[in-house]
Amino acid sequence: MPNTTTANARDYQVAPRFLAGSTGIGDPGLRPLLDASWALSQDEVGNVFVFPPDLTVLTGYLPEGEHGDLWMINAYPDAFSPPQWQVTLDLSAPPEIVGEFTAALVDAHSTTPTSVLRTSTGGFNVTDRLLGERGWHLEDGRAAAVLRSPDGLVALHRRYGYLRPEAEMSRDAERWLFEVGPPSRRWYATATSNIPDHLLEALTSAVTSPVPVQRYLRRSELERLPPQATATPIAPSPLEVARMRAATARSAPAPRTSASALAYTTATRPTALPRTAPAGRTR
């Protein structure tokens, strides 16, 4: 019998990518760091940490974390100081989005290491670009300004007022909060006050990019995608491949008998015995 789980699965391009969901692996998010020869460490429960030689950035991939965030990225003035800023993304964030942000982080660090610690100017250039160039609209709330994308699938909250660094680092409050996806399938990313503007811009671009990503999906997984997502097949499924091969085999012409073989067909041949099928499972 065919494996129906495999037969119903195939590769798709899912767009926009922020609705594609997580793949359950951290490789795309960690790859830019490892390609830059940053060091990798792992704790006893399976959480992974990656950091550069100067220890100014710590990226954590935390499948066994305590706070529900799969990704946590901190920047430090030095190895003995508390973090200056923090970015988190939750369990449902597509890892390709994390990879785009960590690639920007590596590029900034390799060019000018101190640029990952430069004091933020408030991120207003980021919000102005969303409102002016990309057609987002502003909702002025009591505790935060909310910028919402034209399709309503992404909202960026900027909390008002002074926030204690300790409260931000313990995740009791956040300066920047991304809400991504429809209400039933929403995921979150956060950034604290002191994130440099160019890295906030990189995070915003990564989170909101509509480019598609590849996913190998079973039928049940395809049906669980948000209705606003578009999934385009990019390769035949295993079942379709098997059907095409069977159809090709049926339509192939029968081999012609050579002249030398025909010279012996006047002799009476014994009746062929039916062959017994070999024991075992039929494919």
Side-chain angles (χ1 to χ4, degrees):
M1 294 290 293
N3 186 330
T4 57
T5 299
T6 303
N8 290 330
R10 68 190 309 171
D11 287 304
Y12 292 87
Q13 289 278 14
V14 179
R17 73 176 179 186
F18 55 76
L19 298 182
S22 177
T23 59
I25 59 173
D27 295 30
L30 299 174
R31 179 51 53 194
L33 310 174
L34 300 178
D35 287 346
S37 299
W38 288 20
L40 182 146
S41 178
Q42 188 170 353
D43 66 16
E44 65 278 1
V45 295
N47 297 312
V48 174
F49 305 90
V50 184
F51 45 89
D54 63 4
L55 305 178
T56 55
V57 181
L58 179 64
T59 297
Y61 173 66
L62 311 170
E64 301 299 330
E66 299 178 356
H67 299 282
D69 298 312
L70 184 60
W71 298 92
M72 182 180 67
I73 303 166
N74 290 345
Y76 302 84
D78 58 68
F80 303 99
S81 299
Q84 182 169 322
W85 58 261
Q86 181 180 93
V87 164
T88 69
L89 299 99
D90 77 16
L91 296 168
S92 298
E96 295 89 351
I97 289 176
V98 183
E100 187 170 314
F101 177 70
T102 56
L105 183 61
V106 165
D107 184 62
H109 185 273
S110 62
T111 302
T112 308
T114 56
S115 69
V116 303
L117 296 169
R118 190 174 302 154
T119 301
S120 169
T121 60
F124 292 106
N125 58 333
V126 176
T127 57
D128 289 347
R129 188 172 296 111
L130 292 175
L131 295 171
E133 298 176 10
R134 300 181 58 182
W136 289 41
H137 61 274
L138 177 65
E139 301 171 4
D140 195 4
R142 180 173 299 177
V146 182
L147 290 80
R148 200 172 300 277
S149 63
D151 59 12
L153 292 174
V154 184
L156 174 58
H157 300 247
R158 185 187 187 279
R159 189 183 293 269
Y160 296 135
Y162 172 75
L163 300 177
R164 292 186 303 108
E166 298 83 1
E168 291 198 76
M169 294 304 164
S170 63
R171 304 181 186 87
D172 292 332
E174 66 284 320
R175 177 67 65 191
W176 302 95
L177 169 66
F178 293 87
E179 292 182 327
V180 187
S184 60
R185 298 294 303 277
R186 187 166 288 167
W187 61 269
Y188 301 89
T190 70
T192 57
S193 298
N194 289 328
I195 183 172
D197 288 357
H198 65 97
L199 292 178
L200 178 62
E201 175 66 43
L203 179 63
T204 303
S205 296
V207 168
T208 61
S209 173
V211 299
V213 290
Q214 184 171 327
R215 290 288 186 270
Y216 186 71
L217 301 174
R218 302 178 181 89
R219 186 183 301 277
S220 59
E221 295 169 325
L222 182 65
E223 293 172 348
R224 288 199 298 270
L225 285 176
Q228 296 87 346
T230 300
T232 305
I234 60 176
S237 69
L239 181 59
E240 290 169 334
V241 170
R243 287 173 175 170
M244 287 187 290
R245 288 176 177 171
T248 301
R250 287 194 299 269
S251 62
R256 299 183 63 182
T257 307
S258 67
S260 58
L262 290 175
Y264 298 94
T265 57
T266 55
T268 302
R269 297 179 180 270
T271 303
L273 296 175
R275 293 187 177 182
T276 304
R281 185 173 56 188
T282 303
R283 292 186 178 273

